[in-house]
Amino acid sequence: RLKVGAGGTAMASPPNRIVRQRRVAVGRIHGCYDRRRNPARVPPAFGRRTGKAEETHRMTATVAMPLWAFIMLAGFAGWAVLVLLLVPGMRWFFRRRIKLVLHQIGARLNIELPSFTLTRRQVLIDRLFHDHKVQAAAAAHAVVSDEALGDVWRRIDRYAREIVPSFNAYVYYRVGYALARAAVRALYRVRIGFVDEAALARVDPKSTIVFVMNHRSNMDYILVAFLAAERATLSFAVGEWARIWPLQQLIRAMGAYFVRRNSGDPLYRTVLARYVQMASEAGVTQAVFPEGGLTIDGKLRPPKFGLLDYMLKTFDERPDDERRDLVFIPVGLNYDRVLEDRSQLLKLHPDTPRPGGARAMAITAGFLLRNGLQAIGGGWHRFGYACVNFGAPLSMRAWAREHG
């Protein structure tokens, strides 16, 4: 073959064999091999297009990645599936069940739940945080204590999230009511001693009901909620002892709110007072233990009027369609035997040595085992009777009218 050079002179082209040898030599220098010797390796193209089969091979080739990268990708994929598919599906399922429960409650029990109770928890937290009295207390506290207003707001937000419950009708009537009924009937023979039905029938349905009870046992919450479930949903004030998982979530879903009984922080007291007042003004049925704790020997302890004082501070006795009456119903509770009898009696003798943690757990386990064996053998007769008495209701509007 002849090839024309730059000066117009003809010169012979190298034969094909020499060209192939040069390409093989260059390929070896660059780490490639001839396709005929090693088809898995691709030789330099030298300006030629890659074939379709070669492109397919490159697209289907195995890609290696570190284990940590694979774990991260798998975690992100699982999170996306959870957020985009499972969580919305679960929300839809539970909202549907809650609407069904509310429909059944309204049709069978004739209970109208206040809109405040059914409001989302985050909305209630925002309302409590932006309340004008809470904001005024925050500004005053920042001036007096020389604390940054942003730090005070963060404390208020923490207090609000600690106090505000997250009521769930499905949990209250399907889970809580079933557990309360099973626990009460398994431990006691429940009796209702006295109920003033005529006086209760005269109570205005739009009034805010407050059950004022003595505190004999921790079973008081369960017993009263079980007996009143067919007429109202109760909101309790629970101490910090119950702020453990998962009891904390269950208590909040039942509509109860947590309080710091011995807190001297005026800012916390303001947030707590405003929540109690907002709930009372909205018609939320509440249950209050004026004693502030369990009785030691069965006698009534000196009363503490904190929560009752919060309710009455903003009460307006003037009749109006937008103002609710505040009706107190006294409730008396008593048991043949309470579960805390021995531990409470120890408080009468402060010099008596207390059992340690391991010893207390061993005593509890032995108590449960002994009663369980008696129940299996048919020799267990529960802890006797539990009796509840509902007294005549007291209307604050009528009382204020009578006393001027």
Side-chain angles (χ1 to χ4, degrees), residues 252-287:
R252 279 183 174 157
M254 297 286 289
Y257 56 96
F258 293 95
V259 296
R260 302 181 183 182
R261 299 190 183 277
N262 298 320
S263 175
D265 186 357
L267 190 61
Y268 172 80
R269 289 295 177 183
T270 301
V271 177
L272 176 61
R274 285 305 298 151
Y275 171 76
V276 174
Q277 293 164 2
M278 290 167 57
S280 301
E281 294 169 359
V284 178
T285 303
Q286 303 190 48

Side-chain angles (χ1 to χ4, degrees), residues 42-371:
V42 182
F46 288 103
R48 294 182 302 174
R49 294 183 178 180
T50 307
K52 185 176 181 180
E54 191 64 30
E55 292 180 359
T56 304
H57 172 73
R58 291 182 179 181
M59 293 177 61
T60 59
T62 303
V63 178
M65 67 172 58
L67 179 60
W68 62 267
F70 174 77
I71 294 176
M72 290 182 62
L73 290 176
F76 285 132
W79 177 82
V81 171
L82 179 65
V83 172
L84 300 178
L85 296 179
L86 297 181
V87 173
M90 293 175 63
R91 287 177 179 173
W92 173 85
F93 173 78
F94 282 111
R95 285 175 183 173
R96 183 172 178 272
R97 301 296 297 179
I98 290 173
K99 291 181 179 179
L100 180 61
V101 169
L102 293 177
H103 176 73
Q104 294 175 353
I105 291 171
R108 182 170 60 89
L109 302 179
N110 195 22
I111 296 177
E112 183 180 357
L113 296 178
S115 59
F116 185 89
T117 303
L118 301 177
T119 305
R120 294 181 59 184
R121 181 170 182 263
Q122 185 59 47
V123 176
L124 297 179
I125 292 174
D126 293 339
R127 286 177 55 185
L128 182 59
F129 178 86
H130 294 286
D131 182 78
H132 66 283
K133 293 185 179 180
V134 173
Q135 290 296 317
H141 181 81
V143 173
V144 173
S145 64
D146 198 18
E147 186 178 357
L149 187 58
D151 297 337
V152 178
W153 284 345
R154 280 188 286 271
R155 286 175 56 190
I156 291 176
D157 182 74
R158 185 171 69 253
Y159 292 155
R161 295 183 183 277
E162 178 182 315
I163 295 171
V164 175
S166 56
F167 178 79
N168 189 304
Y170 183 84
V171 174
Y172 191 95
Y173 282 99
R174 288 292 182 266
V175 180
Y177 179 76
L179 292 176
R181 180 178 58 185
V184 168
R185 291 181 175 178
L187 297 176
Y188 295 100
R189 296 179 177 89
V190 182
R191 297 293 184 269
I192 297 179
F194 173 79
V195 179
D196 195 342
E197 294 285 357
L200 292 177
R202 292 193 297 267
V203 175
D204 186 359
K206 295 183 179 180
S207 302
T208 299
I209 307 298
V210 181
F211 290 95
V212 183
M213 305 180 294
N214 64 316
H215 205 358
R216 287 280 286 120
S217 170
N218 288 315
M219 284 293 296
D220 297 344
Y221 303 96
I222 303 174
L223 179 61
V224 176
F226 163 65
L227 294 177
E230 295 186 357
R231 297 192 177 186
T233 57
L234 301 184
S235 178
F236 289 94
V238 184
E240 292 180 294
W241 63 268
R243 294 189 60 188
I244 56 175
W245 187 90
L247 185 60
Q248 175 178 344
Q249 285 72 17
L250 179 60
I251 290 176
R252 279 183 174 157
M254 297 286 289
Y257 56 96
F258 293 95
V259 296
R260 302 181 183 182
R261 299 190 183 277
N262 298 320
S263 175
D265 186 357
L267 190 61
Y268 172 80
R269 289 295 177 183
T270 301
V271 177
L272 176 61
R274 285 305 298 151
Y275 171 76
V276 174
Q277 293 164 2
M278 290 167 57
S280 301
E281 294 169 359
V284 178
T285 303
Q286 303 190 48
V288 179
F289 299 99
E291 297 173 90
L294 292 177
T295 178
I296 298 177
D297 53 2
K299 300 179 181 179
L300 289 176
R301 300 174 61 180
K304 298 179 180 180
F305 299 107
L307 295 179
L308 297 176
D309 182 60
Y310 296 156
M311 298 177 191
L312 294 174
K313 276 184 177 179
T314 58
F315 175 72
D316 193 340
E317 71 279 2
R318 293 173 296 179
D320 194 328
D321 294 338
E322 297 182 358
R323 300 190 184 98
R324 297 177 182 269
D325 189 11
L326 199 60
V327 179
F328 296 97
I329 299 179
V331 180
L333 303 170
N334 208 351
Y335 307 83
D336 283 344
R337 180 185 176 185
V338 296
L339 301 177
E340 307 89 351
D341 54 358
R342 296 182 181 179
S343 60
Q344 290 297 104
L345 289 175
L346 284 176
K347 297 180 181 179
L348 296 175
H349 307 282
D351 297 334
T352 303
R354 300 294 193 274
R359 176 63 177 168
M361 293 180 62
I363 294 174
T364 303
F367 175 80
L368 296 176
L369 179 61
R370 182 170 60 257
N371 286 271

